[in-house]
Amino acid sequence: MAKAREVLVIGGNRYVGKRLIRRFQAAGDRVTVLNRGSSAPPAGARHLIADRDDETSLTEALDGRTFDVVVDQVCYTPRQAELARRVFAGRTGRYVLTSTVEVYEHEDTPVPVPESAVDPLTVAVDLRLPWDDAEFLERHYGEGKRQAEAVFAAAGPDLPSVAVRVAHVLGGDDDFTGRLVHYADRVRTGTPVAVPPVVHPATYIHVEEIADFLYWAAGEDFTGPVNAASHGELGVAELCAAVAERLGADEPVFEVADAAEVSPFAFRRHYGMDNSRAARLGFAFGNARQWLPKAVAETLGKAG
């Protein structure tokens, strides 16, 4: 039998995080969840309460503990990354940062982008920016993640890390984003779905698959960025058609809008990620078109 690991999950008590924790527990790992105390961890997990933005609070909560692996679900800025680097260097053999497809926000190519398109070792880090300002952070979400990746990458062997660049996540009855519900409301009422003049596809991943991926990545020894996306790209028309089929409704109606505000997943640029690195490393992805009907059914429920 494999030796039980000491695992720390920072944040992530809902959606992907709770599924990931269940996978660690099912494998016999000892899981500790660290958050500010606003919500209790899943049953069977130990709980540490700390403010991850406060180095003293974080250090005191850890109280000398060490971990085989840390999975950081809620690191959004280089400041948070720098603090975590100082605190966890020497405390863990592996640090898994949950990153995002948004690190490629400045890429717009007709083919899925590989990890090399954004090399964290070449990303400039600016800790002086107003990362504590919520409005600034929302506008610079992708940049915050890029710089956070850069901080961990620069730590090198002092803190071996992997940055999992997560595609758009779908599925689950606890999808809190409201994006598929947005489409369901419009399809049900015949309200047009606002799209840009030219709509581009994106890569996606099912909520259970990304939990599988993070669990797998925690047990491997590779480092650096890795894209996590199911095979196949989906466009907004295909997503809406799946919603309409689930509802037994008429075909969705689309309306071209030149304004900045369009419907979720109605992308003005190509949002595809190349998943071949992860595949070469041994992870077997599913196909987005095969699990899409299931994801829609889970999120919309029996009534749709």
Side-chain angles (χ1 to χ4, degrees), residues 47-304:
H47 194 193
L48 296 180
I49 298 176
D51 180 354
R52 68 148 317 137
D53 295 320
D54 184 323
E55 187 165 353
T56 298
S57 171
L58 184 56
T59 302
E60 290 178 351
L62 292 173
D63 192 27
R65 292 177 175 85
T66 60
F67 301 93
D68 295 295
V69 61
V70 175
V71 182
D72 194 339
Q73 294 278 82
V74 290
C75 182
Y76 302 109
T77 75
R79 287 184 191 168
Q80 292 176 327
E82 180 62 30
L83 189 154
R85 183 197 62 77
R86 292 195 301 268
V87 170
F88 286 102
R91 288 182 186 267
T92 183
R94 186 161 182 78
Y95 201 98
V96 180
L97 169 67
T98 301
S99 190
T100 173
V101 62
E102 296 298 336
V103 301
Y104 300 120
E105 63 182 335
H106 301 306
E107 305 297 320
D108 188 6
T109 65
V111 296
V113 292
E115 292 85 356
S116 58
V118 176
D119 180 354
L121 290 174
T122 66
V123 172
V125 174
D126 190 347
L127 300 175
R128 300 167 300 174
L129 293 173
W131 295 113
D132 296 328
D133 181 274
E135 184 178 343
F136 176 86
L137 182 56
E138 182 177 1
R139 294 198 315 268
H140 297 85
Y141 175 68
E143 182 62 26
K145 284 289 192 179
R146 273 194 298 276
Q147 293 194 26
E149 285 190 17
V151 170
F152 287 116
D158 291 338
L159 187 62
S161 66
V162 56
V164 178
R165 295 172 175 171
V166 182
H168 303 287
V169 182
L170 294 175
D173 60 3
D174 53 343
D175 179 355
F176 59 91
T177 66
R179 292 174 294 196
L180 287 182
V181 173
H182 168 94
Y183 290 133
D185 290 342
R186 279 152 180 76
V187 168
R188 190 183 293 109
T189 61
T191 304
V193 174
V195 297
V198 179
V199 188
H200 294 276
T203 43
Y204 293 82
I205 193 164
H206 191 274
V207 63
E208 299 292 346
E209 187 170 35
I210 189 55
D212 286 340
F213 190 94
L214 289 167
Y215 174 78
W216 168 79
E220 298 296 307
D221 59 6
F222 66 88
T223 58
V226 61
N227 292 337
S230 297
H231 296 305
E233 298 180 346
L234 302 172
V236 67
E238 196 164 357
L239 291 172
C240 288
V243 169
E245 183 175 356
R246 174 65 184 174
L247 298 178
D250 293 336
E251 289 293 315
V253 178
F254 298 96
E255 181 178 69
V256 174
D258 290 323
E261 290 298 323
V262 293
S263 295
F265 303 135
F267 297 119
R268 298 176 185 276
R269 67 172 182 82
H270 189 236
Y271 251 100
M273 288 198 300
D274 183 339
N275 63 12
S276 59
R277 184 186 187 215
R280 288 194 304 271
L281 289 167
F283 190 85
F285 288 103
N287 186 287
R289 287 187 174 82
Q290 292 178 353
W291 57 249
L292 178 59
K294 173 187 175 183
V296 171
E298 291 168 348
T299 300
L300 298 185
K302 293 182 180 179

Side-chain angles (χ1 to χ4, degrees), residues 2-12 16-33 42-46 67-73 92 94-96 98 162 164 210-220:
K3 179 182 176 182
R5 296 174 294 182
E6 293 289 344
V7 177
L8 176 67
V9 178
I10 304 176
V16 176
K18 70 181 185 182
R19 290 168 169 81
L20 174 61
I21 290 168
R22 286 201 295 264
R23 283 157 172 75
F24 283 125
Q25 291 176 324
D29 296 321
R30 291 183 288 269
V31 181
T32 300
V33 174
R46 289 173 287 187
F67 301 93
D68 295 295
V69 61
V70 175
V71 182
D72 194 339
Q73 294 278 82
T92 183
R94 186 161 182 78
Y95 201 98
V96 180
T98 301
V162 56
V164 178
I210 189 55
D212 286 340
F213 190 94
L214 289 167
Y215 174 78
W216 168 79
E220 298 296 307

